[in-house]
Amino acid sequence: MTGGTMNECRTSRTPRARRALIRVLLACGAVAVLLYTEGQWESRSGGLMLVADLLNRPELLLGGALAALIAAAWLSDRRTAVRAASRAVTVTAGVVFLLGALAAHKVSAAETRSREDAPAGAQRTLVVVHRSYGSGSQAGEHWHVLLESGEGWSARRWLLADVGGAPDGARLVEASWTGREQITVVTDSYRRVFNLDQDSGEPVEAR
């Protein structure tokens, strides 16, 4: 095989390999976005707890998707003007994402969690998450009162109360089990009672 023929084969393989790598990067980015979307969905009240904890990670998954998109744009062999524009857009998006992540860390709060298992050893746990913000627009205290029900991949988490923060600035007084299937949440402005469904564990506010 002559040197010219070998160079032609090498040249023809290089674009194909690059295109294959670009497709892999784009697929990985799409998968990362889909996984994060699933994590967001399961983070709703009553969603699957473990899926939410594993996949609701914007810095990891969205950051990874953005990195894959930037790499794909950088490897693109399209016309120079299109390639330059795509690179500029993806790099700008990366910078904006990084600045947003840094801003989120700046307003991070000191966090404590308390857990209280249901009476009679049921697979249900009352969780109170307390966050204290020392400075900035979110300065103050914030409480999330949660119910975790079940175990393993089927375990679910419900939000019972979101207390504090702007604009009301309410404070949590107490959240506790007041019966085998009942939770009471008391703040400085209201009192709410939740009765738990015996089968699903879903909390339903008493009227």
Side-chain angles (χ1 to χ4, degrees), residues 141-160:
E141 295 182 284
H142 204 146
W143 293 264
H144 279 144
V145 182
L146 308 166
L147 171 67
E148 296 177 357
S149 180
E151 62 178 354
W153 288 102
S154 63
R156 294 185 177 274
R157 178 188 291 129
W158 281 274
L159 175 64
L160 303 182

Side-chain angles (χ1 to χ4, degrees), residues 126-193:
L126 175 64
V127 181
V128 177
V129 181
H130 176 223
R131 296 186 179 94
S132 179
Y133 298 88
S135 60
S137 59
Q138 297 187 19
E141 295 182 284
H142 204 146
W143 293 264
H144 279 144
V145 182
L146 308 166
L147 171 67
E148 296 177 357
S149 180
E151 62 178 354
W153 288 102
S154 63
R156 294 185 177 274
R157 178 188 291 129
W158 281 274
L159 175 64
L160 303 182
D162 184 354
V163 185
D168 59 352
R171 294 183 60 83
L172 180 69
V173 176
E174 183 182 21
S176 61
W177 293 95
T178 50
R180 291 174 58 88
E181 304 288 341
Q182 187 181 84
I183 295 172
T184 300
V185 178
V186 181
T187 73
D188 55 7
S189 58
Y190 63 78
R191 179 178 182 273
R192 299 170 67 183
V193 177

Side-chain angles (χ1 to χ4, degrees), residues 6-83:
M6 290 178 64
N7 288 334
E8 288 175 4
C9 291
R10 215 176 279 122
T11 302
S12 64
R13 281 198 300 267
T14 301
R16 283 200 296 268
R18 181 185 294 137
R19 287 193 294 269
L21 179 56
I22 290 171
R23 285 194 290 270
V24 170
L25 288 170
L26 292 176
C28 289
V31 169
V33 171
L34 290 174
L35 290 175
Y36 172 68
T37 302
E38 180 65 17
Q40 275 276 290
W41 171 249
E42 295 299 347
S43 295
R44 75 195 190 281
S45 182
L48 294 172
M49 184 170 66
L50 290 183
V51 176
D53 290 344
L54 287 172
L55 300 182
N56 189 13
R57 297 177 178 272
E59 293 178 9
L60 175 63
L61 292 175
L62 293 185
L66 191 54
L69 183 60
I70 291 173
W74 209 260
L75 292 170
S76 174
D77 58 357
R78 292 173 296 179
R79 290 180 296 119
T80 303
V82 177
R83 183 171 62 228

